[in-house]
Amino acid sequence: MDTTNRAASGEADERTDPPRILVRNSRDGDVPGMLAIYLHHIRRGVDPGVEENEFEPPDAEDLKRRRKSMNRRKMPHLVAEEAGTVVGYAYAVPFRKRPAYRYTIKHSIYVRSDRLHAGIGRRLMTALIDACAAAGFRQMIGYIDAANVASLKLHEGFGFRQVGYLPSVGYKFGHWTDTVMVQRSLGPGATEPPTA
C-alpha cells in the first residue's frame, strides 16, 4: 500500500504512529494499575534480606484513601493512560505540614517498567507542573536517587535545580545510596506574595 497517499489523506499508518498517551486526573478504577506500578518500583528497591514486617506495601484501599485525601486538598493526582491501560502516574503532597509551608509541594512520578524512556514521565511532569501552578503552589521539590541519571536529566530539563545532596541516606543491595534534592518555582514563585 502507498503510505504517501495515506499520509496525504490524513489517514494514520498504524506501523509508525505511536499509541496515544492521555494524561488525566486519576480515578478509583485506576488504583490496581497504579498499585502494580508502585509495587514493582518499591520492591525493586528492597533488599531480598529485608523482613516482611519491615516493609508493608500499601493495599488498594489505602491508595484510594490517599488519592481522595490529595484531591480534597487540591493536590494533583494524575495518571497516564495508553490504550486504556495505566502506564504511569504522578502526584504532589505537602512538603511540610505546618501552615508556613502550604505553598510548597513535593512530587513523585512512577512509570510502568516496560514503558520507561517512552516520554511518559515527560508528559506526566508537564501536566503535574501545570496543575500545581494552577492550584496556587509556588515551589515544587523532588527527591531523586543520585544514581538515577534519567530522572535527574528529566528534572533538569524542566528547570529543576539541585538544592541539596544527602549522602548515604539509603542502604540497599549491599551499599549506601545518596539522594539529590531538586527544586523549581511555580507560577510567580517567590517574586510576589500569595493571593490567598
Side-chain angles (χ1 to χ4, degrees):
M1 174 177 248
D2 182 1
T3 57
T4 306
N5 290 339
R6 287 173 61 115
S9 70
E11 192 175 335
D13 183 347
E14 292 178 17
R15 293 170 297 164
T16 59
D17 284 354
R20 184 168 179 262
I21 297 169
L22 171 69
V23 176
R24 59 171 173 75
N25 289 327
S26 67
R27 303 186 283 249
D28 275 354
D30 301 320
V31 167
M34 291 187 293
L35 190 58
I37 292 167
Y38 179 77
L39 290 176
H40 170 82
H41 286 289
I42 295 304
R43 285 185 176 135
R44 203 182 70 174
V46 176
D47 288 319
V50 172
E51 299 293 324
E52 281 293 320
N53 60 358
E54 292 179 63
F55 171 67
E56 186 177 329
D59 61 21
E61 291 307 311
D62 184 41
L63 194 53
K64 284 179 185 178
R65 278 190 301 276
R66 289 185 204 181
R67 190 186 70 74
K68 286 179 182 171
S69 173
M70 287 180 224
N71 285 336
R72 275 195 306 274
R73 299 169 78 184
K74 307 225 183 308
M75 302 277 176
H77 199 286
L78 310 172
V79 296
E81 179 185 293
E82 184 177 40
T85 301
V86 173
V87 292
Y89 71 103
Y91 60 88
V93 296
F95 170 62
R96 298 259 169 88
K97 291 182 180 180
R98 301 223 182 262
Y101 301 102
R102 67 189 176 278
Y103 298 104
T104 302
I105 45 93
K106 60 183 177 179
H107 72 283
S108 294
I109 295 178
Y110 293 96
V111 176
R112 207 171 76 183
S113 62
D114 64 340
R115 298 298 289 127
L116 294 171
H117 312 294
I120 295 166
R122 183 169 300 282
R123 298 281 303 274
L124 283 165
M125 181 71 84
T126 299
L128 189 62
I129 288 170
D130 291 348
C132 289
F137 296 105
R138 295 295 186 87
Q139 300 293 327
M140 180 180 260
I141 291 172
Y143 295 94
I144 305 166
D145 187 306
N148 191 342
V149 175
S151 184
L152 290 168
K153 286 184 178 180
L154 173 71
H155 283 78
E156 184 179 302
F158 277 93
F160 285 86
R161 60 186 176 82
Q162 182 177 324
V163 294
Y165 193 88
L166 307 170
S168 305
V169 292
Y171 188 82
K172 55 186 176 181
F173 303 110
H175 69 276
W176 292 102
T177 61
D178 304 339
T179 295
V180 176
M181 183 179 181
V182 297
Q183 179 178 347
R184 68 157 283 162
S185 293
L186 299 170
T191 62
E192 59 185 59
T195 55

